């Protein structure tokens, strides 16, 4: 099974700065890098006027949600990083074929909406990666004597509060 | 050729040129093609969103309401403003979080994931299509009326041209509809609308003088109870007016959208705030122009053309052409978005789900094309010979959608016992009661708006249906767990809460469970 680990573009210091910018006084107690599994696909997507191009898509194995995304940047293999993989909660977990269908449906719909009805279809899978591991920071932080647990996206710095 | 038509033609040629230029210099990769406009900032994003959602209702329905009912129309404006705030606040946040956890992309898919049953989609998709047809019909009529006024041709001919152009745009718009054309169009529209409002206020001698003059024509128009005070104490109607664009609006499939791309979340957040500011500035405008049109044009044959006629009366000729073109373009882009959404529902939520599970993307395109053409032909058949009022059509369709879907959306996140039976009962009861109440003439007889009866019926059906079937149709365990996670928010600094990226919801909750 082919796997790929996405490069962590936002480090723990960046994560801290992002949260502190939103809540001055917030103190990060710890930041742990965890990896979430996606199925990855590269499709050839016809555009208009005979043009076509590549598009990358990721599908979350645990929720089934598909995304169009930027081309992947792989983590340097020499770092020898040991991944802290998120365990399968068995909620809506999907298999690889379902992920493939969802990715293709998403790209077809997106292309149709963008190109309108002059689009002819013809989305074709070029390659796939069975497991793409996406980095996220699990941050424990405190502010005014309250503790917070926040996830910070290791690719773009977006964050989500898990609890307090 | 009139100067307005000339400007209309020049405007569309300019938009095509901008589109062509942007396409040539744009990135060639598919990501750039699929996620067009992703690199734009929040201000531009907000303007683009608003230009495509400012439909024919704002330019025809709102003006007509102001013209015929005075400040009573402000109940609708208040609901419209309140809806935006409500959607941004607690309700929207929880809904976005749950839809992410459940992995839903479309609103109908979200309902089916939360209330697992094929019947959810089987009921929701046709109801959504039915209501979207009426909303598209309103855009057709608005486009036809605008073209009729500008060109002087008869309404059926103008309507045929307007529908033809809209359908053509739906087919070929991909060549033009790039971020820059939407943005330029939005700028012209905003400037145009503000220009019309300012010129109108100047023409009537200012806001206070204008109100005094309107009071001289009919003092009742200055109250919020209607031209003949007919709505005084009619709280059923007023509640309906408030609810239709606040709660009802949330039933629209294109409102309950989720982010498709893993893009930088800060842009979407700030754009939401800009959109709210834009709404605060923009929404009262058409109602006020409609109201003051009574002074400038007291004998309008069709109050729905109030904004167009006032623009013609108070703006310089060249500006009328540009503003009219921008309004027509806004109507066109709203109709285009709705038609594409209808095509998607028909192809993915109905055809691929129930008829051909192995639908290819070429088949998807064909189902969408046939759906769009069918809606256009049926729309022309209805509108050409007995065109209903734009405001009435928009309010009717929003009422039905709101009644059908809003309790299911709200209970999905706020009530753990809400189950599939409750949701199906709610959607069926909301649709039937609101439609039957309207067509039977009950609003006039009882003074109660169909939005009120519809939402009461669908809420009651949700509660009764869910409670009566807890044993036979329990809420699945994984849904219960997802709801627990959705509700798990403590006291969090507001700035942090507002800035969250909902796309991370499922990853965050699942990572947290493992610890």
């Amino acid at each position: 099974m082919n796997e790929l680990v996405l490069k962590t573009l936002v480090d723990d210091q960046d994560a801290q700065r992002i949260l502190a910018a939103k809540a001055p006084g917030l103190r990060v107690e710890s930041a742990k890098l965890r990896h979430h599994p996606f199925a990855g696909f590269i499709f050839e997507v016809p555009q208009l006027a005979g043009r076509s191009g590549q598009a990358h898509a990721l599908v979350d194995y645990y929720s089934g949600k598909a995304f169009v995304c930027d081309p992947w940047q792989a983590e340097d293999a020499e770092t020898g990083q040991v991944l802290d993989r998120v365990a399968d909660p068995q909620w809506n977990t999907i298999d690889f074929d379902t992920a493939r269908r969802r990715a293709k449906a998403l790209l077809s719909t997106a292309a149709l909406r963008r190109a309108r009805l002059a689009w002819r279809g013809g989305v074709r899978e070029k390659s796939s990666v069975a497991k793409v591991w996406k980095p996220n920071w699990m941050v424990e932080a405190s502010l005014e004597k309250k503790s917070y647990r926040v996830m910070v996206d290791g690719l773009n710095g977006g964050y989500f509060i898990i609890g307090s | 050729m009139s100067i307005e038509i000339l400007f209309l033609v020049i405007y569309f040629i300019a938009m095509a040129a901008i589109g062509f230029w942007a396409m040539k210099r744009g990135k060639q990769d598919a990501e750039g093609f699929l996620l067009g406009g992703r690199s734009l900032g929040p201000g531009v994003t907000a303007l683009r969103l608003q230009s495509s959602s400012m439909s024919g209702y704002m330019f025809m329905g709102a003006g007509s309401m102001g013209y015929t009912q005075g400040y009573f129309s402000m109940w609708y404006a208040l609901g419209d403003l309140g809806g935006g705030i409500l959607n941004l606040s607690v309700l929207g946040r929880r809904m976005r979080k749950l839809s992410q956890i459940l992995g839903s992309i479309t609103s109908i898919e979200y309902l089916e994931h939360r209330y697992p049953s094929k019947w959810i989609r089987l009921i929701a998709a046709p109801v959504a299509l039915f209501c979207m047809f009426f909303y598209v019909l309103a855009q057709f009529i608005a486009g036809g009326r605008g073209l009729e006024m500008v060109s002087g041709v008869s309404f059926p001919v103008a309507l045929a041209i307007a529908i033809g152009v809209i359908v053509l745009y739906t087919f070929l718009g991909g060549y033009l509809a790039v971020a820059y054309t939407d943005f330029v169009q939005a700028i012209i529209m905003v400037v145009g609308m503000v220009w019309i409002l300012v010129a109108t206020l100047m023409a009537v001698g200012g806001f206070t003088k204008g109100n005094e003059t309107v009071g001289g024509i009919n003092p009742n128009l200055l109250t919020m109870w209607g031209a003949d005070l007919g709505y005084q104490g009619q709280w059923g109607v007023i509640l309906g007016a408030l609810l239709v664009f606040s709660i009802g609006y949330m039933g629209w499939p294109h409102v309950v959208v989720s982010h498709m791309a893993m893009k930088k979340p800060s842009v979407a957040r700030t754009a939401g705030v800009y959109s709210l500011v834009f709404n605060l500035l923009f929404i009262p405008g058409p109602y006020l122009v409609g109201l003051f049109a009574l002074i400038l044009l007291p004998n309008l044959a069709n109050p729905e053309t109030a904004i167009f006629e006032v623009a013609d009366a108070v703006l310089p000729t060249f500006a009328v052409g540009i503003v009219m073109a921008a309004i027509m373009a806004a109507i066109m882009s709203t109709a285009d978005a709705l038609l594409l959404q209808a095509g998607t529902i028909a192809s993915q939520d109905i055809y691929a789900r129930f008829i051909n599970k192995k639908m290819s993307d070429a088949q998807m395109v064909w189902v969408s094309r046939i759906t769009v053409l069918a809606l256009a032909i049926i729309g022309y058949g209805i509108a050409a010979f007995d065109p209903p009022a734009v405001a009435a059509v928009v309010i009717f369709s929003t009422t039905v959608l709101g009644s059908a879907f809003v309790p299911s959306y709200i209970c999905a996140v706020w009530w753990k016992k809400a189950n599939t039976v409750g949701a199906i009962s709610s959607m069926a009861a909301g649709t039937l009661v609101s439609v039957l109440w309207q067509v039977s003439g009950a609003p006039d007889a009882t003074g109660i708006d169909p939005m009120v009866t519809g939402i009461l019926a669908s809420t009651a059906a949700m509660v009764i249906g869910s409670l009566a079937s807890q044993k036979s149709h329990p809420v699945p365990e994984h849904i219960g767990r997802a709801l627990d996670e959705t509700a798990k928010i403590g006291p969090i600094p507001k700035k942090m809460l507002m800035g969250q990226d909902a796309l991370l919801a499922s990853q965050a909750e699942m990572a947290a469970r493992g610890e």
Side-chain angles (χ1 to χ4, degrees):
Chain A
M1 186 168 72
N2 55 346
E3 294 198 11
L4 181 142
V5 180
L6 293 178
K7 189 171 187 175
T8 308
L9 302 174
V10 174
D11 65 20
D12 53 346
Q13 298 298 315
D14 294 331
Q16 187 167 346
R17 272 194 293 277
I18 287 162
L19 296 179
K22 282 287 169 190
L26 180 130
R27 222 182 64 181
V28 171
E29 310 288 348
S30 68
K32 191 165 64 171
L33 196 60
R34 303 205 67 193
H35 284 81
H36 194 96
F38 288 81
F41 301 92
I42 301 176
F43 288 96
E44 186 71 29
V45 182
Q47 300 173 17
L48 289 170
R51 290 197 290 188
S52 71
Q54 278 189 9
H56 291 64
L58 289 175
V59 186
D60 186 341
Y61 271 117
Y62 295 165
S63 72
K65 181 127 179 133
F67 305 90
V68 182
C69 64
D70 284 324
W72 310 316
Q73 290 184 57
E75 189 67 84
D76 192 349
E78 290 173 11
T79 57
Q81 188 183 20
V82 179
L83 302 187
D84 183 359
R85 294 170 179 172
V86 174
D88 186 351
Q90 299 288 339
W91 286 4
N92 305 309
T93 308
I94 56 167
D95 59 21
F96 184 72
D97 284 335
T98 308
R100 172 180 276 141
R101 275 202 305 278
R102 292 198 181 179
K104 193 175 178 200
L106 176 72
L107 284 173
S108 302
T109 308
L112 176 67
R113 287 201 180 174
R114 179 66 187 83
R116 309 298 202 268
L117 298 175
W119 191 64
R120 291 179 174 183
V123 171
R124 192 169 55 81
E125 186 181 318
K126 285 188 75 180
S127 61
S128 63
V129 180
K131 283 265 171 73
V132 175
W133 294 98
K134 174 179 171 277
N136 291 314
W137 291 100
M138 291 292 284
V139 176
E140 301 285 345
S142 62
L143 177 70
E144 293 169 358
K145 295 181 182 168
K146 286 197 184 84
S147 300
Y148 298 96
R149 180 186 269 186
V150 186
M151 171 174 277
V152 179
D153 192 315
L155 298 181
N156 67 13
Y159 68 88
F160 192 85
I161 301 164
I162 299 164
S164 64
Chain B
M1 184 188 281
S2 73
I3 190 87
E4 287 92 347
I5 291 281
L6 184 67
F7 269 99
L8 209 66
V9 172
I10 292 172
Y11 176 88
F12 282 113
I13 291 173
M15 287 301 110
I18 293 171
F20 185 73
W21 167 78
M23 209 174 203
K24 278 280 175 197
R25 72 182 285 274
K27 290 201 302 178
Q28 299 293 309
D29 62 283
E31 273 94 4
F33 171 72
L34 294 174
L35 309 174
R38 190 181 180 192
S39 57
L40 301 175
V44 179
T45 305
L47 272 179
R48 289 181 58 212
L49 285 173
Q50 292 308 314
S51 86
S52 57
S53 62
M54 284 298 147
S55 66
Y57 171 78
M58 288 308 283
F59 298 108
M60 296 195 73
S64 162
M65 294 269 249
Y67 192 88
T68 55
Q69 297 295 340
Y71 279 97
F72 170 76
S73 60
M74 285 297 163
W75 290 115
Y76 290 92
L78 283 172
D80 210 348
L81 290 171
I85 295 164
L86 204 68
N87 203 25
L88 270 180
S89 62
V90 182
L91 188 63
R93 202 162 52 231
R94 280 203 180 202
M95 272 169 56
R96 276 193 293 275
K97 192 172 170 186
L98 184 63
S99 77
Q100 294 294 331
I101 293 176
L102 296 177
S104 322
I105 291 174
T106 67
S107 55
I108 292 173
E109 196 179 42
Y110 165 72
L111 287 175
E112 195 182 17
H113 285 167
R114 169 61 181 84
Y115 307 109
S117 164
K118 69 176 182 182
W119 285 98
I120 290 288
R121 201 178 286 233
L122 209 53
I123 294 172
V127 171
L129 261 185
F130 172 77
C131 294
M132 288 179 87
F133 166 71
F134 281 97
Y135 208 97
V136 172
L137 182 67
Q139 310 311 312
F140 288 167
I141 296 168
R145 288 280 182 222
L147 206 60
E148 177 192 23
M149 207 210 97
V150 176
S151 65
V153 299
S154 68
F155 178 69
V157 175
L159 180 71
I161 296 170
I163 293 178
V165 171
I166 288 170
V167 170
L168 196 67
Y169 184 77
T170 311
F171 273 76
L172 301 178
Y175 288 98
L176 304 178
V178 292
Y180 296 97
T181 54
D182 284 355
F183 175 61
V184 173
Q185 175 190 303
I187 293 277
I188 294 174
M189 206 181 73
V190 173
V191 171
M193 193 64 231
V194 172
W195 199 353
I196 297 173
L197 181 61
V198 172
T200 304
L201 288 172
M202 286 169 68
V204 299
F207 185 69
T208 308
K209 180 77 169 51
N211 277 323
E212 284 169 6
T213 313
V214 169
I217 297 168
N218 180 357
N220 297 339
L221 292 171
L222 298 181
T223 72
M224 290 184 77
W225 313 120
D228 55 1
L229 298 181
Y231 297 115
Q232 193 162 23
Q234 297 285 319
W235 293 106
V237 176
I238 291 166
L239 193 62
L242 269 172
L243 289 178
V244 74
F245 290 130
S246 53
I247 298 291
Y249 186 65
M250 290 170 56
W252 282 105
H254 64 280
V255 174
V256 192
V257 290
S258 77
H259 306 277
M260 186 184 72
M262 280 189 172
K263 60 184 169 186
K264 203 174 174 193
S266 59
V267 171
R269 287 194 303 270
T270 319
V273 177
Y274 282 164
S275 297
L276 190 63
V277 173
F278 176 91
N279 282 350
L280 284 168
L281 294 172
F282 190 90
I283 286 173
Y287 293 97
L288 289 173
V289 172
L291 175 71
F292 293 134
L294 270 171
I295 303 167
L296 301 170
L297 306 157
N299 299 311
L300 271 182
N302 180 1
E304 295 220 303
T305 59
I307 305 259
F308 295 139
E309 298 281 4
V310 169
D312 202 28
V314 300
L315 295 182
T317 313
F318 76 93
V320 177
I322 297 173
V323 170
M324 287 292 295
I327 291 175
M328 295 293 286
I331 289 170
M332 226 162 69
S333 71
T334 304
D336 159 70
L338 285 163
L339 284 169
L340 281 175
Q341 179 83 30
T344 306
I345 291 175
S347 60
Q348 297 203 334
D349 290 323
I350 297 175
Y351 182 76
R353 180 74 172 79
F354 299 108
I355 300 168
N356 178 6
K357 288 198 167 141
K358 291 184 177 169
M359 175 184 75
S360 69
D361 46 6
Q363 287 170 323
M364 175 183 79
V365 176
W366 273 108
V367 173
S368 299
R369 286 174 181 168
I370 291 165
T371 306
V372 166
L373 288 174
L375 292 178
I377 292 165
I378 298 168
Y380 183 81
I382 293 175
F385 304 106
D386 187 18
V390 169
V393 173
V394 170
I395 289 171
F396 171 71
S397 52
T398 309
T399 295
V400 177
L401 265 181
S403 303
F405 292 127
V406 169
S408 295
Y409 285 141
I410 293 179
C411 292
V413 285
W414 286 100
W415 193 36
K416 279 182 80 171
K417 288 186 176 174
N419 66 4
T420 305
V421 175
I424 290 172
S425 316
S426 173
M427 288 193 292
T431 307
L432 288 174
V433 170
S434 58
V435 171
L436 292 176
W437 194 264
Q438 180 70 42
V439 298
S440 67
D444 293 332
T446 62
I448 298 174
D449 193 270
M451 184 75 223
V452 177
T453 50
I455 206 97
L456 282 176
S458 56
T459 306
M462 168 61 88
V463 173
I464 295 167
S466 295
L467 291 178
S469 60
Q470 283 297 304
K471 281 191 179 162
S472 59
H473 294 81
V475 176
E477 198 189 338
H478 74 279
I479 303 283
R481 281 202 299 263
L483 284 171
D484 287 341
E485 302 298 342
T486 306
K488 207 172 65 183
I489 288 284
I492 292 164
K494 206 168 185 177
K495 202 176 168 193
M496 275 187 83
L497 206 55
M498 284 296 288
Q500 290 192 101
D501 180 4
L503 284 178
L504 289 171
S506 61
Q507 294 165 55
E509 306 298 355
M510 288 166 199
R513 286 187 74 84
E515 294 200 329

